[in-house]
Amino acid sequence: MTTTATAPTLEDLRGTSLVEMYLQANPETRGYIHATLQGNRTSGDDLVDKHLKPMIEAIYRQIRTLVDPATLTVAQARMYIAELSVFARHNAQFLRLAAAQVYGSCPALGHEFDRNFLEEGGEPGKVPAHYILYTRALLTDLGLLVNGHVPAPETGLLVLQHQVLVNSHMTGLIAGGYYATEGVAVAETEILRAITDRYGELTIRASGPALTSLDYYYRLHLDEDHEAAQVGGMSVEEAHVEGLARFIRQSDLFGLDLPQALEGFLQIFNAMAHWWTQLAYRAEELN
């Protein structure tokens, strides 16, 4: 059973991590992860639904509490916006590299990565590349230029870890790592929307739908009935999550190694949780 303990503070996290604290507080999930890595659990459905999804949801609630968008200063909000733009800059090329890596061993997974790449990177005649939409929206609505931003060390490390992952020779590892990347995307987009709203409120006294270009960008990712949604009943981000979850749920069908997929998930999920924590420390220094 998943616990819902009070969110840790930055001081609580010194010497540990959000993932370590979660697994300590949820021994059933800790045990299931250990057993899966040892090859003693083989249900991808149980792994996703009973353990990974609840862990993502719980830890990203804690991340939102650590960031606390409603209390950010202009400098803090600008820092988060600039750092959060960096992964979006590279995600389309990572998806394309991931597709190329896995096509030989799992064509269906390669197709899924290609589908995501065309949505993220811009498919001719449809919605432009998401990074282009986002950076233009920041310029149009908030006058913020993030193009060419040189990332902080913790952001550069996150990008490096993704680059290493998509160049792996292990198909399962790539599948699990990208499930982590997509599994957190809805929560991250919602946090980013709260941060840009805060920046807008502090600088031009506008937020939400009043930031028309940013509002379109967020609805593109989160609304089930948006024109960009291609899978019925699901938003763009939800479709990405479920599309990749399928390869963990049915790892036997696709010839993927479940412990290997879990290893990939843990590599990237830990990296992303660590990244957010380090950004929160950086924001604290700006206060």
Side-chain angles (χ1 to χ4, degrees):
M1 183 175 180
T2 302
T3 66
T4 55
T6 304
T9 65
L10 287 175
E11 188 59 36
D12 295 332
L13 287 166
R14 296 189 188 278
T16 185
S17 71
L18 287 168
V19 175
E20 288 172 350
M21 291 183 75
Y22 179 87
L23 294 178
Q24 186 65 32
N26 292 274
E28 184 179 347
T29 290
R30 185 178 70 245
Y32 201 93
I33 285 175
H34 289 186
T36 301
L37 290 171
Q38 293 167 329
N40 297 325
R41 295 288 185 275
T42 59
S43 172
D45 282 325
D46 284 350
L47 180 62
V48 169
D49 292 327
K50 296 180 181 179
H51 302 288
L52 301 187
K53 275 187 172 183
M55 181 163 64
I56 291 169
E57 291 167 4
I59 287 178
Y60 268 78
R61 283 194 300 270
Q62 295 176 336
I63 286 170
R64 184 164 186 139
T65 299
L66 286 174
V67 174
D68 199 3
T71 67
L72 297 176
T73 66
V74 170
Q76 290 172 326
R78 186 169 56 240
M79 181 275 295
Y80 276 114
I81 292 167
E83 296 303 321
L84 287 162
S85 74
V86 174
F87 184 74
R89 183 193 304 172
H90 301 293
N91 190 29
Q93 75 186 66
F94 285 157
L95 283 163
R96 193 170 191 182
L97 286 168
Q101 285 293 98
V102 305
Y103 256 118
S105 57
C106 187
L109 180 58
H111 176 75
E112 180 64 22
F113 283 136
D114 267 344
R115 185 181 72 81
N116 291 3
F117 161 70
L118 287 170
E119 289 184 2
E120 288 287 339
E123 190 170 358
K126 296 185 179 180
V127 177
H130 292 186
Y131 175 71
I132 300 300
L133 282 176
Y134 177 57
T135 54
R136 286 178 180 172
L138 289 175
L139 275 173
T140 301
D141 290 346
L142 299 174
L144 271 177
L145 177 67
V146 298
N147 306 72
H149 169 71
V150 178
E154 52 267 32
T155 305
L157 177 61
L158 179 67
V159 171
L160 174 63
Q161 288 179 277
H162 275 84
Q163 185 174 20
V164 170
L165 177 95
V166 299
N167 279 288
S168 175
H169 64 287
M170 294 179 282
T171 302
L173 192 83
I174 297 173
Y178 245 103
Y179 173 67
T181 301
E182 296 295 352
V184 307
V186 170
E188 290 200 333
T189 303
E190 290 172 343
I191 295 170
L192 178 57
R193 178 165 56 182
I195 294 170
T196 53
D197 277 348
R198 174 64 173 172
Y199 187 88
E201 289 164 0
L202 292 174
T203 56
I204 60 172
R205 297 183 181 179
S207 62
L211 303 174
T212 55
S213 297
L214 282 166
D215 183 59
Y216 175 85
Y217 174 81
Y218 293 131
R219 287 189 295 103
L220 180 154
H221 285 82
L222 300 174
D223 287 4
E224 295 173 357
D225 57 354
H226 195 277
E227 62 180 309
Q230 297 184 20
V231 179
M234 287 189 281
S235 68
V236 167
E237 290 299 352
E238 288 172 336
H240 288 184
V241 175
E242 288 308 312
L244 285 166
R246 177 176 171 232
F247 292 91
I248 298 177
R249 295 181 188 281
Q250 298 178 281
S251 58
D252 284 347
L253 177 65
F254 293 105
L256 301 179
D257 184 80
L258 189 61
Q260 193 181 92
L262 178 56
E263 166 66 23
F265 173 88
L266 291 171
Q267 284 185 20
I268 297 301
F269 186 66
N270 273 277
M272 299 188 85
H274 174 79
W275 174 58
W276 276 104
T277 303
Q278 296 307 304
L279 290 182
Y281 283 121
R282 185 173 291 275
E284 190 176 57
E285 293 171 359
L286 293 173
N287 201 354

